[in-house]
Amino acid sequence: MPDRLVIVGGDAAGMSAATQARRRRDASELEIVAFERGPYTSYSACGIPYYVGDTVEELEALIVRSPEAFREENDIDARIHHHVSAIDLDARKVTVCDLESSTERSEAFDQLVVATGATPIKPEWPGIDADGVFGIQVLEDGVAIRRWVDDEKPSRAVVVGGGYIGIEMAEALIVRGVQVALVDAARQPMATLDEDMGAIVAERMRELGIEVFLEEKVTGIDQSNGRASAVATEQRTLPADIVVLGIGVRPNIELAQEAGIEIGESGGIKVNRRMRTSADGVWSAGDCAEKFHLVSRRGVAIPLGTHANKEGRVAGINIGGGYESFPGVVGTATSKICDIEVARTGLTESEATEAGFEFVTDTSDSTTRAGYFPDTRPIKTKLVVEKQSGRLLGAQIIGEEGAAKRIDVFATALWNRMTVAEMLNLDLSYAPPFAPVWDPVLIAARKAWRLVDETVQVDPE
Ligand SMILES: Cc1cc2nc3c(=O)[nH]c(=O)nc-3n(C[C@H](O)[C@H](O)[C@H](O)COP(=O)(O)OP(=O)(O)OC[C@H]3O[C@@H](n4cnc5c(N)ncnc54)[C@H](O)[C@@H]3O)c2cc1C
């Protein structure tokens, strides 16, 4: 009898684990069954804003592999519309409900991957369940929003929350000709940036014609005949034909928690470097699993597709009998709203303080191409650097085309615990269409290095 691997959750993390395990063990050795409660497997939730905005016209373009393809090409039994409601670790069984026939049964496993993702936070505001109010996590959410925009032709939207999903959805709605207002209880949008950088994002968003209301708490959603008609805040009422919630997500841990699997300090399922949970033969990956932050040395919940794919791969290799580990993350993320690119990696000032570092910060301005080159664009780079040692702790970038991906150089430097002194002479590429002769990364490192130098305490001996 082959071993039986059961996967809960049929997207990035779950299906990466399934395909990697299959590469190492064929069906005679390992039977693989994946349960997905929605109608799609292996889809790109990251593409949802671009589907809503019609940059991506066909939904199929966002689906990497269908259940049929998994069955035919990978010998993986991917069952959509199947919800897993319980894990029994002693009996080595999960309880599964077939949502189409409403029948429930037990399914045995030898190995189990919990890849249940995350759920958008939906506060208990009056009117939150009105038609036209959307949270976003899975592809069905994207389909529902696009249908609403196509069919109802909203003229005014309120986006609640100015995180990266909020700003990407604001862009999508603007592209579709909708007037957008954005409300956030924080002092700035993009709370993953420092306040000074977030303030620039707010200013740029206003220049795009978005009404931005900060430090305003939403109190409820007004409705008329069951449809959202306005968002009420403590200060005002904003008319809305569509309301999009982008106030964050929480890891889907209930299944694991109820089974007695350990939950980490961040609220995600605790895993070791090989993506093993506290329970024997149970693995977890993706948005539901806790990540280890390589700079703060703490458990964190960072729900990103880039981590979900890598963690799923690692879990699958280990289940398949190989050896692989996932060392952790440095908190790299990027996003855009219209022409404005935003990126960050490592720790912000407040995160560095919380992690116990003493540091200096510096913000520098440069351009994405040689100053004389047509279409050169401004780029602002902020660095957080440890006092005395000069170790890079974090970087934030705001700019236009060609700006955001420069964050990857800083991410690589963080990964390798580099100091800004070590970054000064990095052999980064230069040609006028791509960079000034001193790349913005090198300019930022050089400016921060001067500041660090002032903090170096020379031993009087
Ligand atoms: C609008 C948007 C834009 C994004 N943009 C980016 C980006 O640019 N870059 C980036 O890195 N990340 C981005 N992300 C995040 C990225 O999509 C997620 O991190 C990624 O999808 C996580 O993969 P996952 O497999 O862990 O979870 P999910 O993709 O959430 O998949 C989990 C699956 O499990 C299923 N499930 C849950 N519970 C059960 C159960 N009990 N039984 C059966 N099935 C269950 C769910 O239906 C779901 O399909 C974006 C997300 C959104 C919503």
Side-chain angles (χ1 to χ4, degrees), residues 8-9 11-13 35-37 43 45-46 49 82-84 115-118 136-138 164-165 168 255 286-287 303-306 308:
V8 190
D11 191 25
F35 296 111
E36 165 55 52
R37 66 184 170 198
Y43 50 85
C46 314
H82 279 73
H83 173 76
V84 176
T116 44
I136 322 159
Q137 172 71 14
V138 290
Y164 80 91
I165 290 181
E168 289 176 8
L255 258 188
D287 286 1
L304 286 176
T306 176

PDB file of all heavy atoms in Angstrom, residues 8-9 11-13 35-37 43 45-46 49 82-84 115-118 136-138 164-165 168 255 286-287 303-306 308, ligand 1:
ATOM      1  N   VAL A   8      -4.434  20.104   2.656  1.00  0.00           N
ATOM      2  CA  VAL A   8      -5.620  20.941   2.895  1.00  0.00           C
ATOM      3  C   VAL A   8      -5.311  22.331   2.349  1.00  0.00           C
ATOM      4  O   VAL A   8      -4.456  23.041   2.889  1.00  0.00           O
ATOM      5  CB  VAL A   8      -5.976  21.035   4.398  1.00  0.00           C
ATOM      6  CG1 VAL A   8      -7.340  21.709   4.574  1.00  0.00           C
ATOM      7  CG2 VAL A   8      -5.952  19.679   5.057  1.00  0.00           C
ATOM      8  N   GLY A   9      -5.996  22.713   1.270  1.00  0.00           N
ATOM      9  CA  GLY A   9      -5.767  24.015   0.651  1.00  0.00           C
ATOM     10  C   GLY A   9      -5.065  23.826  -0.682  1.00  0.00           C
ATOM     11  O   GLY A   9      -3.923  23.363  -0.726  1.00  0.00           O
ATOM     12  N   ASP A  11      -3.947  25.916  -3.141  1.00  0.00           N
ATOM     13  CA  ASP A  11      -3.309  27.005  -3.899  1.00  0.00           C
ATOM     14  C   ASP A  11      -1.787  26.909  -3.796  1.00  0.00           C
ATOM     15  O   ASP A  11      -1.230  25.810  -3.754  1.00  0.00           O
ATOM     16  CB  ASP A  11      -3.858  28.360  -3.427  1.00  0.00           C
ATOM     17  CG  ASP A  11      -3.435  29.488  -4.354  1.00  0.00           C
ATOM     18  OD1 ASP A  11      -3.157  29.224  -5.534  1.00  0.00           O
ATOM     19  OD2 ASP A  11      -3.354  30.649  -3.894  1.00  0.00           O
ATOM     20  N   ALA A  12      -1.150  28.075  -3.699  1.00  0.00           N
ATOM     21  CA  ALA A  12       0.311  28.151  -3.856  1.00  0.00           C
ATOM     22  C   ALA A  12       1.068  27.167  -2.968  1.00  0.00           C
ATOM     23  O   ALA A  12       1.849  26.338  -3.459  1.00  0.00           O
ATOM     24  CB  ALA A  12       0.760  29.584  -3.560  1.00  0.00           C
ATOM     25  N   ALA A  13       0.847  27.251  -1.663  1.00  0.00           N
ATOM     26  CA  ALA A  13       1.645  26.432  -0.744  1.00  0.00           C
ATOM     27  C   ALA A  13       1.276  24.955  -0.880  1.00  0.00           C
ATOM     28  O   ALA A  13       2.160  24.094  -1.017  1.00  0.00           O
ATOM     29  CB  ALA A  13       1.418  26.910   0.695  1.00  0.00           C
ATOM     30  N   PHE A  35      -7.471  18.692  -0.942  1.00  0.00           N
ATOM     31  CA  PHE A  35      -8.838  19.199  -0.770  1.00  0.00           C
ATOM     32  C   PHE A  35      -8.827  20.721  -0.810  1.00  0.00           C
ATOM     33  O   PHE A  35      -8.101  21.363  -0.056  1.00  0.00           O
ATOM     34  CB  PHE A  35      -9.416  18.723   0.564  1.00  0.00           C
ATOM     35  CG  PHE A  35      -9.570  17.233   0.637  1.00  0.00           C
ATOM     36  CD1 PHE A  35      -8.777  16.470   1.484  1.00  0.00           C
ATOM     37  CD2 PHE A  35     -10.495  16.575  -0.163  1.00  0.00           C
ATOM     38  CE1 PHE A  35      -8.908  15.095   1.549  1.00  0.00           C
ATOM     39  CE2 PHE A  35     -10.639  15.192  -0.124  1.00  0.00           C
ATOM     40  CZ  PHE A  35      -9.843  14.448   0.737  1.00  0.00           C
ATOM     41  N   GLU A  36      -9.643  21.265  -1.690  1.00  0.00           N
ATOM     42  CA  GLU A  36      -9.755  22.719  -1.836  1.00  0.00           C
ATOM     43  C   GLU A  36     -11.238  23.078  -1.765  1.00  0.00           C
ATOM     44  O   GLU A  36     -12.034  22.548  -2.543  1.00  0.00           O
ATOM     45  CB  GLU A  36      -9.137  23.157  -3.177  1.00  0.00           C
ATOM     46  CG  GLU A  36      -9.493  24.556  -3.628  1.00  0.00           C
ATOM     47  CD  GLU A  36      -9.183  25.652  -2.609  1.00  0.00           C
ATOM     48  OE1 GLU A  36      -8.044  25.714  -2.127  1.00  0.00           O
ATOM     49  OE2 GLU A  36     -10.106  26.448  -2.279  1.00  0.00           O
ATOM     50  N   ARG A  37     -11.583  23.983  -0.858  1.00  0.00           N
ATOM     51  CA  ARG A  37     -13.020  24.271  -0.701  1.00  0.00           C
ATOM     52  C   ARG A  37     -13.580  25.157  -1.818  1.00  0.00           C
ATOM     53  O   ARG A  37     -14.764  25.173  -2.076  1.00  0.00           O
ATOM     54  CB  ARG A  37     -13.295  24.865   0.670  1.00  0.00           C
ATOM     55  CG  ARG A  37     -12.690  26.211   0.912  1.00  0.00           C
ATOM     56  CD  ARG A  37     -12.951  26.650   2.332  1.00  0.00           C
ATOM     57  NE  ARG A  37     -12.190  27.825   2.680  1.00  0.00           N
ATOM     58  CZ  ARG A  37     -11.961  28.230   3.906  1.00  0.00           C
ATOM     59  NH1 ARG A  37     -12.434  27.538   4.918  1.00  0.00           N
ATOM     60  NH2 ARG A  37     -11.270  29.316   4.157  1.00  0.00           N
ATOM     61  N   TYR A  43      -3.923  29.125  -8.279  1.00  0.00           N
ATOM     62  CA  TYR A  43      -4.264  30.366  -8.978  1.00  0.00           C
ATOM     63  C   TYR A  43      -3.402  31.495  -8.434  1.00  0.00           C
ATOM     64  O   TYR A  43      -2.761  31.349  -7.380  1.00  0.00           O
ATOM     65  CB  TYR A  43      -5.750  30.701  -8.757  1.00  0.00           C
ATOM     66  CG  TYR A  43      -6.159  30.650  -7.299  1.00  0.00           C
ATOM     67  CD1 TYR A  43      -5.974  31.744  -6.475  1.00  0.00           C
ATOM     68  CD2 TYR A  43      -6.703  29.491  -6.746  1.00  0.00           C
ATOM     69  CE1 TYR A  43      -6.324  31.685  -5.131  1.00  0.00           C
ATOM     70  CE2 TYR A  43      -7.060  29.428  -5.409  1.00  0.00           C
ATOM     71  CZ  TYR A  43      -6.869  30.530  -4.613  1.00  0.00           C
ATOM     72  OH  TYR A  43      -7.192  30.474  -3.284  1.00  0.00           O
ATOM     73  N   ALA A  45      -3.620  34.779  -6.723  1.00  0.00           N
ATOM     74  CA  ALA A  45      -4.400  35.830  -6.050  1.00  0.00           C
ATOM     75  C   ALA A  45      -3.732  37.185  -6.263  1.00  0.00           C
ATOM     76  O   ALA A  45      -4.405  38.222  -6.327  1.00  0.00           O
ATOM     77  CB  ALA A  45      -4.507  35.523  -4.555  1.00  0.00           C
ATOM     78  N   CYS A  46      -2.406  37.149  -6.451  1.00  0.00           N
ATOM     79  CA  CYS A  46      -1.660  38.399  -6.661  1.00  0.00           C
ATOM     80  C   CYS A  46      -2.130  39.114  -7.926  1.00  0.00           C
ATOM     81  O   CYS A  46      -1.976  40.326  -8.073  1.00  0.00           O
ATOM     82  CB  CYS A  46      -0.165  38.118  -6.784  1.00  0.00           C
ATOM     83  SG  CYS A  46       0.462  36.994  -5.531  1.00  0.00           S
ATOM     84  N   PRO A  49      -5.967  42.204  -8.562  1.00  0.00           N
ATOM     85  CA  PRO A  49      -6.189  43.622  -8.888  1.00  0.00           C
ATOM     86  C   PRO A  49      -6.082  43.883 -10.388  1.00  0.00           C
ATOM     87  O   PRO A  49      -6.778  44.753 -10.922  1.00  0.00           O
ATOM     88  CB  PRO A  49      -5.068  44.343  -8.121  1.00  0.00           C
ATOM     89  CG  PRO A  49      -4.692  43.408  -7.012  1.00  0.00           C
ATOM     90  CD  PRO A  49      -4.892  42.025  -7.562  1.00  0.00           C
ATOM     91  N   HIS A  82     -14.329  20.886  -1.699  1.00  0.00           N
ATOM     92  CA  HIS A  82     -14.207  19.978  -0.552  1.00  0.00           C
ATOM     93  C   HIS A  82     -13.609  20.748   0.625  1.00  0.00           C
ATOM     94  O   HIS A  82     -12.472  21.234   0.517  1.00  0.00           O
ATOM     95  CB  HIS A  82     -13.320  18.776  -0.896  1.00  0.00           C
ATOM     96  CG  HIS A  82     -14.037  17.715  -1.657  1.00  0.00           C
ATOM     97  ND1 HIS A  82     -14.396  17.865  -2.981  1.00  0.00           N
ATOM     98  CD2 HIS A  82     -14.490  16.484  -1.273  1.00  0.00           C
ATOM     99  CE1 HIS A  82     -15.031  16.772  -3.380  1.00  0.00           C
ATOM    100  NE2 HIS A  82     -15.107  15.926  -2.372  1.00  0.00           N
ATOM    101  N   HIS A  83     -14.371  20.842   1.685  1.00  0.00           N
ATOM    102  CA  HIS A  83     -13.945  21.598   2.867  1.00  0.00           C
ATOM    103  C   HIS A  83     -13.511  20.639   3.970  1.00  0.00           C
ATOM    104  O   HIS A  83     -14.274  19.730   4.347  1.00  0.00           O
ATOM    105  CB  HIS A  83     -15.112  22.471   3.356  1.00  0.00           C
ATOM    106  CG  HIS A  83     -14.829  23.162   4.649  1.00  0.00           C
ATOM    107  ND1 HIS A  83     -14.019  24.263   4.730  1.00  0.00           N
ATOM    108  CD2 HIS A  83     -15.248  22.888   5.914  1.00  0.00           C
ATOM    109  CE1 HIS A  83     -13.947  24.649   5.993  1.00  0.00           C
ATOM    110  NE2 HIS A  83     -14.678  23.837   6.732  1.00  0.00           N
ATOM    111  N   VAL A  84     -12.317  20.834   4.478  1.00  0.00           N
ATOM    112  CA  VAL A  84     -11.837  20.002   5.587  1.00  0.00           C
ATOM    113  C   VAL A  84     -12.217  20.698   6.889  1.00  0.00           C
ATOM    114  O   VAL A  84     -11.851  21.862   7.103  1.00  0.00           O
ATOM    115  CB  VAL A  84     -10.302  19.798   5.497  1.00  0.00           C
ATOM    116  CG1 VAL A  84      -9.785  19.016   6.699  1.00  0.00           C
ATOM    117  CG2 VAL A  84      -9.947  19.075   4.192  1.00  0.00           C
ATOM    118  N   ALA A 115      -2.272  23.885   4.477  1.00  0.00           N
ATOM    119  CA  ALA A 115      -1.920  25.044   3.639  1.00  0.00           C
ATOM    120  C   ALA A 115      -3.197  25.844   3.399  1.00  0.00           C
ATOM    121  O   ALA A 115      -3.613  26.062   2.266  1.00  0.00           O
ATOM    122  CB  ALA A 115      -1.305  24.567   2.336  1.00  0.00           C
ATOM    123  N   THR A 116      -3.803  26.249   4.506  1.00  0.00           N
ATOM    124  CA  THR A 116      -5.139  26.842   4.468  1.00  0.00           C
ATOM    125  C   THR A 116      -5.141  28.349   4.229  1.00  0.00           C
ATOM    126  O   THR A 116      -6.193  28.975   4.187  1.00  0.00           O
ATOM    127  CB  THR A 116      -5.877  26.535   5.786  1.00  0.00           C
ATOM    128  OG1 THR A 116      -4.953  26.750   6.860  1.00  0.00           O
ATOM    129  CG2 THR A 116      -6.357  25.100   5.856  1.00  0.00           C
ATOM    130  N   GLY A 117      -3.950  28.959   4.095  1.00  0.00           N
ATOM    131  CA  GLY A 117      -3.899  30.372   3.739  1.00  0.00           C
ATOM    132  C   GLY A 117      -4.351  31.292   4.854  1.00  0.00           C
ATOM    133  O   GLY A 117      -4.139  31.021   6.041  1.00  0.00           O
ATOM    134  N   ALA A 118      -4.998  32.369   4.468  1.00  0.00           N
ATOM    135  CA  ALA A 118      -5.425  33.390   5.427  1.00  0.00           C
ATOM    136  C   ALA A 118      -6.831  33.853   5.060  1.00  0.00           C
ATOM    137  O   ALA A 118      -7.340  33.524   3.994  1.00  0.00           O
ATOM    138  CB  ALA A 118      -4.450  34.561   5.395  1.00  0.00           C
ATOM    139  N   ILE A 136     -10.814  40.426   0.127  1.00  0.00           N
ATOM    140  CA  ILE A 136     -10.128  39.721  -0.970  1.00  0.00           C
ATOM    141  C   ILE A 136      -9.061  38.793  -0.426  1.00  0.00           C
ATOM    142  O   ILE A 136      -8.162  39.233   0.284  1.00  0.00           O
ATOM    143  CB  ILE A 136      -9.383  40.693  -1.918  1.00  0.00           C
ATOM    144  CG1 ILE A 136     -10.182  41.962  -2.123  1.00  0.00           C
ATOM    145  CG2 ILE A 136      -9.073  40.035  -3.251  1.00  0.00           C
ATOM    146  CD1 ILE A 136      -9.311  43.093  -2.580  1.00  0.00           C
ATOM    147  N   GLN A 137      -9.147  37.536  -0.796  1.00  0.00           N
ATOM    148  CA  GLN A 137      -8.066  36.591  -0.519  1.00  0.00           C
ATOM    149  C   GLN A 137      -7.973  35.555  -1.633  1.00  0.00           C
ATOM    150  O   GLN A 137      -6.921  35.317  -2.176  1.00  0.00           O
ATOM    151  CB  GLN A 137      -8.266  35.903   0.843  1.00  0.00           C
ATOM    152  CG  GLN A 137      -7.289  34.771   1.142  1.00  0.00           C
ATOM    153  CD  GLN A 137      -5.851  35.249   1.428  1.00  0.00           C
ATOM    154  OE1 GLN A 137      -5.618  36.426   1.649  1.00  0.00           O
ATOM    155  NE2 GLN A 137      -4.898  34.328   1.414  1.00  0.00           N
ATOM    156  N   VAL A 138      -9.117  34.944  -1.971  1.00  0.00           N
ATOM    157  CA  VAL A 138      -9.082  33.853  -2.940  1.00  0.00           C
ATOM    158  C   VAL A 138      -9.615  34.340  -4.292  1.00  0.00           C
ATOM    159  O   VAL A 138     -10.208  35.418  -4.386  1.00  0.00           O
ATOM    160  CB  VAL A 138      -9.886  32.633  -2.421  1.00  0.00           C
ATOM    161  CG1 VAL A 138      -9.162  31.975  -1.266  1.00  0.00           C
ATOM    162  CG2 VAL A 138     -11.290  33.019  -2.025  1.00  0.00           C
ATOM    163  N   TYR A 164      -0.971  47.162   0.967  1.00  0.00           N
ATOM    164  CA  TYR A 164      -0.698  46.990  -0.461  1.00  0.00           C
ATOM    165  C   TYR A 164      -1.913  46.479  -1.223  1.00  0.00           C
ATOM    166  O   TYR A 164      -2.138  46.862  -2.371  1.00  0.00           O
ATOM    167  CB  TYR A 164       0.553  46.131  -0.689  1.00  0.00           C
ATOM    168  CG  TYR A 164       0.354  44.646  -0.571  1.00  0.00           C
ATOM    169  CD1 TYR A 164       0.035  43.878  -1.683  1.00  0.00           C
ATOM    170  CD2 TYR A 164       0.464  44.009   0.663  1.00  0.00           C
ATOM    171  CE1 TYR A 164      -0.159  42.518  -1.573  1.00  0.00           C
ATOM    172  CE2 TYR A 164       0.269  42.651   0.773  1.00  0.00           C
ATOM    173  CZ  TYR A 164      -0.042  41.908  -0.338  1.00  0.00           C
ATOM    174  OH  TYR A 164      -0.254  40.565  -0.229  1.00  0.00           O
ATOM    175  N   ILE A 165      -2.763  45.667  -0.582  1.00  0.00           N
ATOM    176  CA  ILE A 165      -3.961  45.199  -1.298  1.00  0.00           C
ATOM    177  C   ILE A 165      -4.911  46.374  -1.516  1.00  0.00           C
ATOM    178  O   ILE A 165      -5.480  46.543  -2.601  1.00  0.00           O
ATOM    179  CB  ILE A 165      -4.631  44.037  -0.536  1.00  0.00           C
ATOM    180  CG1 ILE A 165      -3.727  42.803  -0.632  1.00  0.00           C
ATOM    181  CG2 ILE A 165      -6.034  43.734  -1.088  1.00  0.00           C
ATOM    182  CD1 ILE A 165      -4.245  41.557   0.033  1.00  0.00           C
ATOM    183  N   GLU A 168      -3.501  48.575  -4.344  1.00  0.00           N
ATOM    184  CA  GLU A 168      -3.607  47.930  -5.672  1.00  0.00           C
ATOM    185  C   GLU A 168      -5.062  47.898  -6.141  1.00  0.00           C
ATOM    186  O   GLU A 168      -5.349  48.067  -7.328  1.00  0.00           O
ATOM    187  CB  GLU A 168      -3.020  46.515  -5.629  1.00  0.00           C
ATOM    188  CG  GLU A 168      -1.494  46.529  -5.510  1.00  0.00           C
ATOM    189  CD  GLU A 168      -0.867  45.147  -5.376  1.00  0.00           C
ATOM    190  OE1 GLU A 168      -1.574  44.129  -5.524  1.00  0.00           O
ATOM    191  OE2 GLU A 168       0.346  45.093  -5.116  1.00  0.00           O
ATOM    192  N   LEU A 255      -8.199  24.963  12.131  1.00  0.00           N
ATOM    193  CA  LEU A 255      -8.116  23.501  11.961  1.00  0.00           C
ATOM    194  C   LEU A 255      -6.957  22.939  12.776  1.00  0.00           C
ATOM    195  O   LEU A 255      -7.112  21.956  13.515  1.00  0.00           O
ATOM    196  CB  LEU A 255      -7.813  23.183  10.498  1.00  0.00           C
ATOM    197  CG  LEU A 255      -8.883  22.724   9.557  1.00  0.00           C
ATOM    198  CD1 LEU A 255      -8.247  22.315   8.240  1.00  0.00           C
ATOM    199  CD2 LEU A 255      -9.674  21.575  10.151  1.00  0.00           C
ATOM    200  N   GLY A 286       2.916  28.440   3.787  1.00  0.00           N
ATOM    201  CA  GLY A 286       2.117  29.525   3.232  1.00  0.00           C
ATOM    202  C   GLY A 286       1.598  30.483   4.290  1.00  0.00           C
ATOM    203  O   GLY A 286       2.112  30.560   5.408  1.00  0.00           O
ATOM    204  N   ASP A 287       0.532  31.205   3.927  1.00  0.00           N
ATOM    205  CA  ASP A 287       0.015  32.279   4.789  1.00  0.00           C
ATOM    206  C   ASP A 287      -0.386  31.813   6.188  1.00  0.00           C
ATOM    207  O   ASP A 287      -0.425  32.613   7.121  1.00  0.00           O
ATOM    208  CB  ASP A 287      -1.219  32.921   4.133  1.00  0.00           C
ATOM    209  CG  ASP A 287      -0.854  33.817   2.962  1.00  0.00           C
ATOM    210  OD1 ASP A 287       0.344  33.924   2.637  1.00  0.00           O
ATOM    211  OD2 ASP A 287      -1.787  34.401   2.368  1.00  0.00           O
ATOM    212  N   PRO A 303       2.000  37.408   5.070  1.00  0.00           N
ATOM    213  CA  PRO A 303       1.268  36.615   4.082  1.00  0.00           C
ATOM    214  C   PRO A 303       1.622  37.004   2.651  1.00  0.00           C
ATOM    215  O   PRO A 303       1.016  37.906   2.088  1.00  0.00           O
ATOM    216  CB  PRO A 303      -0.196  36.955   4.401  1.00  0.00           C
ATOM    217  CG  PRO A 303      -0.149  38.330   4.986  1.00  0.00           C
ATOM    218  CD  PRO A 303       1.204  38.537   5.580  1.00  0.00           C
ATOM    219  N   LEU A 304       2.584  36.345   2.070  1.00  0.00           N
ATOM    220  CA  LEU A 304       2.987  36.653   0.697  1.00  0.00           C
ATOM    221  C   LEU A 304       3.132  35.387  -0.136  1.00  0.00           C
ATOM    222  O   LEU A 304       3.631  34.360   0.362  1.00  0.00           O
ATOM    223  CB  LEU A 304       4.304  37.427   0.677  1.00  0.00           C
ATOM    224  CG  LEU A 304       4.232  38.894   1.104  1.00  0.00           C
ATOM    225  CD1 LEU A 304       5.613  39.503   1.132  1.00  0.00           C
ATOM    226  CD2 LEU A 304       3.305  39.703   0.196  1.00  0.00           C
ATOM    227  N   GLY A 305       2.762  35.507  -1.398  1.00  0.00           N
ATOM    228  CA  GLY A 305       2.827  34.372  -2.303  1.00  0.00           C
ATOM    229  C   GLY A 305       4.249  33.877  -2.515  1.00  0.00           C
ATOM    230  O   GLY A 305       4.481  32.673  -2.691  1.00  0.00           O
ATOM    231  N   THR A 306       5.186  34.804  -2.497  1.00  0.00           N
ATOM    232  CA  THR A 306       6.577  34.401  -2.705  1.00  0.00           C
ATOM    233  C   THR A 306       7.025  33.409  -1.620  1.00  0.00           C
ATOM    234  O   THR A 306       7.711  32.434  -1.895  1.00  0.00           O
ATOM    235  CB  THR A 306       7.493  35.660  -2.785  1.00  0.00           C
ATOM    236  OG1 THR A 306       8.832  35.234  -2.893  1.00  0.00           O
ATOM    237  CG2 THR A 306       7.351  36.574  -1.584  1.00  0.00           C
ATOM    238  N   ALA A 308       4.873  31.522   0.217  1.00  0.00           N
ATOM    239  CA  ALA A 308       4.009  30.331   0.136  1.00  0.00           C
ATOM    240  C   ALA A 308       4.576  29.318  -0.854  1.00  0.00           C
ATOM    241  O   ALA A 308       4.630  28.120  -0.585  1.00  0.00           O
ATOM    242  CB  ALA A 308       2.590  30.739  -0.276  1.00  0.00           C
TER     243      ALA A 308
HETATM  244  C1  LIG B   1      -5.241  40.955  -4.008  1.00  0.00           C
HETATM  245  C2  LIG B   1      -4.007  40.240  -3.597  1.00  0.00           C
HETATM  246  C3  LIG B   1      -2.777  40.615  -4.134  1.00  0.00           C
HETATM  247  C4  LIG B   1      -1.624  39.943  -3.735  1.00  0.00           C
HETATM  248  N1  LIG B   1      -0.412  40.328  -4.275  1.00  0.00           N
HETATM  249  C5  LIG B   1       0.727  39.704  -3.902  1.00  0.00           C
HETATM  250  C6  LIG B   1       1.982  40.050  -4.466  1.00  0.00           C
HETATM  251  O1  LIG B   1       2.064  40.947  -5.330  1.00  0.00           O
HETATM  252  N2  LIG B   1       3.081  39.379  -4.047  1.00  0.00           N
HETATM  253  C7  LIG B   1       3.025  38.374  -3.131  1.00  0.00           C
HETATM  254  O2  LIG B   1       4.071  37.781  -2.803  1.00  0.00           O
HETATM  255  N3  LIG B   1       1.838  38.003  -2.572  1.00  0.00           N
HETATM  256  C8  LIG B   1       0.707  38.645  -2.937  1.00  0.00           C
HETATM  257  N4  LIG B   1      -0.503  38.275  -2.390  1.00  0.00           N
HETATM  258  C9  LIG B   1      -0.528  37.242  -1.348  1.00  0.00           C
HETATM  259  C10 LIG B   1      -0.594  35.860  -1.949  1.00  0.00           C
HETATM  260  O3  LIG B   1      -1.653  35.752  -2.846  1.00  0.00           O
HETATM  261  C11 LIG B   1      -0.757  34.852  -0.821  1.00  0.00           C
HETATM  262  O4  LIG B   1       0.310  35.025   0.074  1.00  0.00           O
HETATM  263  C12 LIG B   1      -0.747  33.437  -1.346  1.00  0.00           C
HETATM  264  O5  LIG B   1      -1.858  33.194  -2.152  1.00  0.00           O
HETATM  265  C13 LIG B   1      -0.741  32.466  -0.164  1.00  0.00           C
HETATM  266  O6  LIG B   1      -0.809  31.170  -0.641  1.00  0.00           O
HETATM  267  P1  LIG B   1      -1.367  30.012   0.304  1.00  0.00           P
HETATM  268  O7  LIG B   1      -1.363  28.796  -0.526  1.00  0.00           O
HETATM  269  O8  LIG B   1      -0.631  30.033   1.576  1.00  0.00           O
HETATM  270  O9  LIG B   1      -2.834  30.482   0.677  1.00  0.00           O
HETATM  271  P2  LIG B   1      -4.113  30.778  -0.257  1.00  0.00           P
HETATM  272  O10 LIG B   1      -3.702  31.305  -1.583  1.00  0.00           O
HETATM  273  O11 LIG B   1      -5.034  31.605   0.574  1.00  0.00           O
HETATM  274  O12 LIG B   1      -4.723  29.333  -0.457  1.00  0.00           O
HETATM  275  C14 LIG B   1      -5.271  28.638   0.594  1.00  0.00           C
HETATM  276  C15 LIG B   1      -6.382  27.808   0.009  1.00  0.00           C
HETATM  277  O13 LIG B   1      -6.864  26.964   1.024  1.00  0.00           O
HETATM  278  C16 LIG B   1      -8.263  26.837   0.876  1.00  0.00           C
HETATM  279  N5  LIG B   1      -8.767  26.422   2.186  1.00  0.00           N
HETATM  280  C17 LIG B   1      -8.683  27.088   3.354  1.00  0.00           C
HETATM  281  N6  LIG B   1      -9.202  26.382   4.351  1.00  0.00           N
HETATM  282  C18 LIG B   1      -9.632  25.221   3.812  1.00  0.00           C
HETATM  283  C19 LIG B   1     -10.268  24.072   4.352  1.00  0.00           C
HETATM  284  N7  LIG B   1     -10.542  23.986   5.649  1.00  0.00           N
HETATM  285  N8  LIG B   1     -10.582  23.056   3.513  1.00  0.00           N
HETATM  286  C20 LIG B   1     -10.281  23.133   2.181  1.00  0.00           C
HETATM  287  N9  LIG B   1      -9.691  24.205   1.629  1.00  0.00           N
HETATM  288  C21 LIG B   1      -9.362  25.230   2.435  1.00  0.00           C
HETATM  289  C22 LIG B   1      -8.714  28.207   0.426  1.00  0.00           C
HETATM  290  O14 LIG B   1      -9.939  28.155  -0.273  1.00  0.00           O
HETATM  291  C23 LIG B   1      -7.557  28.636  -0.459  1.00  0.00           C
HETATM  292  O15 LIG B   1      -7.794  28.359  -1.832  1.00  0.00           O
HETATM  293  C24 LIG B   1      -1.691  38.910  -2.787  1.00  0.00           C
HETATM  294  C25 LIG B   1      -2.936  38.532  -2.255  1.00  0.00           C
HETATM  295  C26 LIG B   1      -4.073  39.176  -2.661  1.00  0.00           C
HETATM  296  C27 LIG B   1      -5.393  38.766  -2.075  1.00  0.00           C
END
